[in-house]
Amino acid sequence: MSKKEKQLIISIGTGRSGSVSLSQFLSHQNSMRVLHEGKIKENGMRKLIKWEDDEQELFSWINYLENWNSDNKYFGDTGMYYLPYVNQIIERFPNVKVIGLERNKEAVINSYLNKTKGRNHWYKHNGEQWEKDDKWDPCYPKYNEKDKRKALNLYWEDYKKTSNTLMNEFPENVRVWAIEEFNTENGKNEILDFIGYTFDRDASSDYKLNQIKKVSFLDKLKKRWF
């Protein structure tokens, strides 16, 4: 299969918005592999892209994925940090499909506050009040706002505004679904239709991974104590 026949898929979103489930759903389809935030379990590799001035690494990574996914017609990656590069990606890959999920603002903010305790990826700091994270700090935009919740609010609002602008400017390339839509069979089919998926598909399975994990944990407790 030649490179020209392949379909690049870039998945965007604020993070904490269902991106793991979306990546799992896409990769579950035939001849498709869409990573989540650059993680390749087979070789322990992980590639993250900086929010700013990382074009060379970005396109080197896409080229790597195109060759690594040699047997898959559909290939790509998921990451919140792809948003500022969408225009450049479309310019380089005119047929790219940029998709994503949007989650309620308060739900995203609360999830991030819980996930990043002790860290603040949205404010440039010296490591005194917040722990420095050389791995993830560069992946997010920075705001002149010390209050973490307020900075996260700005991040969500800016992400939504930019995503909407891109959808209006590039309707054939960019589309974002509400997470509630993704959680339906119709929503999953819409996503596969948008990326031009032509193989047999599975749009009926449940990909609410966090809920699945919770149920599995409860089942283990029941088996142990009851």
Side-chain angles (χ1 to χ4, degrees):
M1 181 176 292
S2 68
K3 290 184 179 181
K4 292 182 179 180
E5 294 176 306
K6 291 188 175 184
Q7 175 63 61
L8 171 62
I9 301 168
I10 295 296
S11 177
I12 59 174
T14 58
R16 316 308 299 167
S17 58
S19 59
V20 174
S21 299
L22 178 58
S23 299
Q24 291 283 346
F25 162 66
L26 294 171
S27 296
H28 181 71
Q29 310 304 318
N30 294 319
S31 196
M32 191 185 308
R33 182 72 180 275
V34 177
L35 302 180
H36 182 257
E37 295 174 347
K39 188 174 184 179
I40 302 178
K41 295 180 180 180
E42 291 89 330
N43 59 18
M45 180 179 182
R46 174 160 237 168
K47 178 64 178 178
L48 302 177
I49 303 298
K50 298 176 182 177
W51 186 266
E52 296 180 332
D53 304 321
D54 211 13
E55 291 85 355
Q56 184 174 346
E57 290 297 316
L58 165 69
F59 289 112
S60 176
W61 174 237
I62 292 176
N63 183 65
Y64 176 86
L65 289 179
E66 187 173 24
N67 290 289
W68 177 71
N69 285 277
S70 58
D71 295 329
N72 293 324
K73 180 176 179 180
Y74 302 84
F75 74 100
D77 191 15
T78 301
M80 78 294 293
Y81 38 70
Y82 286 114
L83 182 71
Y85 301 102
V86 168
N87 293 70
Q88 297 175 60
I89 294 173
I90 293 175
E91 184 177 351
R92 186 79 65 92
F93 300 91
N95 194 44
V96 64
K97 297 299 182 181
V98 180
I99 62 177
L101 299 180
E102 181 182 294
R103 187 183 180 192
N104 171 271
K105 179 168 63 175
E106 285 304 311
V108 170
I109 291 175
N110 290 332
S111 183
Y112 261 126
L113 289 173
N114 182 62
K115 179 74 174 180
T116 62
K117 290 180 179 178
R119 295 173 289 152
N120 188 345
H121 305 311
W122 302 269
Y123 180 73
K124 189 174 181 179
H125 58 87
N126 57 14
E128 293 183 359
Q129 180 179 358
W130 306 98
E131 176 186 349
K132 277 188 170 294
D133 189 334
D134 294 332
K135 180 179 179 181
W136 289 103
D137 283 348
C139 297
Y140 292 90
K142 303 297 180 283
Y143 295 93
N144 187 28
E145 175 55 70
K146 293 183 179 181
D147 186 295
K148 187 176 175 181
R149 177 177 285 276
K150 291 181 179 179
L152 275 163
N153 184 83
L154 292 171
Y155 170 62
W156 191 96
E157 292 286 354
D158 282 352
Y159 211 103
K160 180 180 178 63
K161 181 179 179 180
T162 302
S163 298
N164 287 341
T165 298
L166 289 167
M167 283 193 287
N168 290 330
E169 187 174 356
F170 305 103
E172 299 299 317
N173 298 96
V174 184
R175 185 170 173 185
V176 176
W177 286 261
I179 192 170
E180 292 81 7
E181 295 176 289
F182 169 70
N183 289 333
T184 68
E185 185 173 345
N186 183 61
K188 294 183 181 69
N189 275 311
E190 282 188 1
I191 292 173
L192 294 178
D193 289 341
F194 182 75
I195 65 177
Y197 185 70
T198 59
F199 295 93
D200 291 337
R201 58 179 65 181
D202 178 5
S204 60
S205 298
D206 188 355
Y207 292 87
K208 300 177 184 178
L209 298 185
N210 290 335
Q211 292 186 21
I212 292 173
K213 289 179 181 179
K214 290 178 181 179
V215 171
S216 298
F217 178 70
L218 289 173
D219 286 343
K220 289 180 181 179
L221 287 178
K222 288 177 181 179
K223 290 182 180 178
R224 176 179 292 183
W225 298 107
F226 297 99

